[in-house]
Amino acid sequence: MWCGSTGSVATDPAQLFTRGVVPGRADGYIRPTRATPQNRVMSADPKTEDRGHLGPFLAQLFRRPTKIVALAPSSSGLARAMVEGIGPDTGAVVELGSGTGKITDFILARGVPEDKLALFEINEAFTDRLRRRYPRAQLMPISAGRVEEAPFDNVGAVISGLPLLSMPVELQRDIVGGAFRLMRPGGIFVQFTYGFRPPVERGVREGLQLRWTRSHTIWMNLPPAQVYTFRQG
């Protein structure tokens, strides 16, 4: 992934990224109460939350440095911002570049059922980890450009941890366009960026008639990041 739970990338452009709260809060965030594959505890301390993901991430960074493009796993603040727009009524959710599962945990904490989650990831170490942690999710070890192959009819959101702006425009078009063809009307495509412009090329945005909202800057992330939520029409 590019930042955080998003893990690794293929060096071949054609296969690039073959493989994004406390109870009672007004925003409806639900904290899991047991540390099981289906229901994981979210610590109030972001540093504590990050520890379980840092080790596997660093192991892959040292073993396969040319295929990991992130500086560090996503912070809890970034992961939380990525999932603010989803909940139990969203329907199925697709995550692109699931990596170590950091953002995946936050998706589940928002009330999305595990069996309504598709995880796109190609790094074998990460896919093995994802398979163990989320046995009821649909693991998709294929290119994010094939997002339309996610086995759900009622997809309400695609959460992307991929560095779209580093990809060829055609691959961006395949990913983002495929996501909107897959989703039901009104679906959202969520993408983070470290930069100061929308993380989808202008030609792709205009061709798909995308509009978007932008989050505040998440300073407690390495590097600081913003989250864009795209809608069509």
Side-chain angles (χ1 to χ4, degrees):
M1 162 173 180
W2 174 236
C3 166
S5 76
T6 55
S8 67
V9 296
T11 53
D12 178 0
Q15 296 180 343
L16 194 61
F17 303 95
T18 61
R19 11 178 212 147
V21 181
V22 178
R25 278 180 45 155
D27 62 3
Y29 195 94
I30 302 170
R31 176 184 290 168
T33 56
R34 297 182 56 198
T36 68
Q38 291 77 32
N39 193 18
R40 227 164 244 96
V41 173
M42 306 297 289
S43 166
D45 178 2
K47 293 183 180 178
T48 301
E49 292 176 22
D50 290 343
R51 289 184 193 129
H53 298 271
L54 184 59
F57 175 86
L58 291 178
Q60 288 303 295
L61 180 62
F62 290 132
R63 291 171 186 167
R64 309 176 71 184
T66 62
K67 294 188 177 182
I68 301 291
V69 296
L71 296 177
S74 295
S75 69
S76 296
L78 177 57
R80 188 173 291 114
M82 293 283 285
V83 303
E84 281 184 355
I86 65 174
D89 298 327
T90 298
V93 173
V94 174
E95 183 185 5
L96 304 179
S98 300
T100 64
K102 180 60 179 289
I103 295 176
T104 314
D105 285 344
F106 279 78
I107 293 172
L108 294 173
R110 292 293 290 186
V112 176
E114 187 175 308
D115 59 2
K116 295 298 183 182
L117 182 60
L119 308 175
F120 280 71
E121 175 60 62
I122 59 160
N123 180 293
E124 291 183 1
F126 291 151
T127 57
D128 288 344
R129 174 184 169 90
L130 294 169
R131 189 175 290 109
R132 293 192 303 270
R133 288 172 64 88
Y134 315 107
R136 293 190 293 148
Q138 296 288 331
L139 185 60
M140 308 292 291
I142 59 176
S143 169
R146 296 164 60 185
V147 61
E148 290 179 88
E149 296 182 29
F152 298 124
D153 295 326
N154 186 35
V155 177
V158 174
I159 310 295
S160 171
L162 304 177
L164 287 181
L165 289 178
S166 71
M167 300 179 182
V169 172
E170 286 304 316
L171 184 55
Q172 284 190 47
R173 186 173 289 110
D174 288 344
I175 293 171
V176 183
F180 279 102
R181 287 189 294 272
L182 172 70
M183 288 189 287
R184 66 171 187 251
I188 58 173
F189 183 91
V190 183
Q191 174 70 51
F192 76 88
T193 182
Y194 300 140
F196 298 97
R197 63 188 177 101
V200 177
E201 286 290 351
R202 181 174 181 176
V204 177
R205 301 194 314 261
E206 292 180 349
L208 294 172
Q209 297 183 317
L210 300 183
R211 52 190 175 86
W212 62 90
T213 57
R214 184 180 63 187
S215 75
H216 63 282
T217 299
I218 297 97
W219 295 105
M220 297 299 291
N221 192 75
L222 183 64
Q226 294 179 325
V227 174
Y228 282 70
T229 300
F230 292 91
R231 293 174 172 82
Q232 197 166 36

